[in-house]
Amino acid sequence: MSIREEIETRLSAAFEPRELVVQDDSDQHIGHAGHDGKGESHFSVRIRAVAFGEMNRVAQHRAVHKALGDVVSRIHALALDIGA
């Protein structure tokens, strides 16, 4: 399973989002820190789920990082766009 698929699977299971877009942005970071030439190092996530409605922004980000678990330590960058 690719890291992108792993992100999608974990976030879907944790939040049952009505919208989830996971984009591998690694090719845009060739030559930058954290890009090892193999890809799957930089990701952007857009997620919309009812679960985020009661949370402030910090709590939303913490919840996503918790759901992703060890995936976060295996990538270099993660941009999050979170909403209810």
Side-chain angles (χ1 to χ4, degrees):
M1 175 182 302
S2 71
I3 292 177
R4 184 189 56 77
E5 292 169 329
E6 201 170 341
I7 291 170
E8 289 173 346
T9 299
R10 290 184 186 202
L11 293 179
S12 292
F15 302 109
E16 298 180 6
R18 60 182 169 82
E19 180 183 354
L20 178 60
V21 178
V22 179
Q23 184 173 324
D24 184 347
D25 298 327
S26 301
D27 288 344
Q28 297 173 12
H29 297 275
I30 294 172
H32 295 178
H35 190 280
D36 61 5
K38 298 176 187 173
E40 292 203 300
S41 60
H42 296 70
F43 290 88
S44 296
V45 173
R46 178 178 170 87
I47 185 169
R48 301 291 182 265
V50 173
F52 297 122
E54 299 289 320
M55 297 180 194
N56 65 35
R57 188 172 178 172
V58 172
Q60 291 171 346
H61 282 249
R62 285 180 178 157
V64 167
H65 278 257
K66 182 177 179 181
L68 292 177
D70 70 318
V71 170
V72 177
S73 66
R74 292 187 278 136
I75 61 177
H76 180 72
L78 178 63
L80 298 175
D81 178 359
I82 303 171

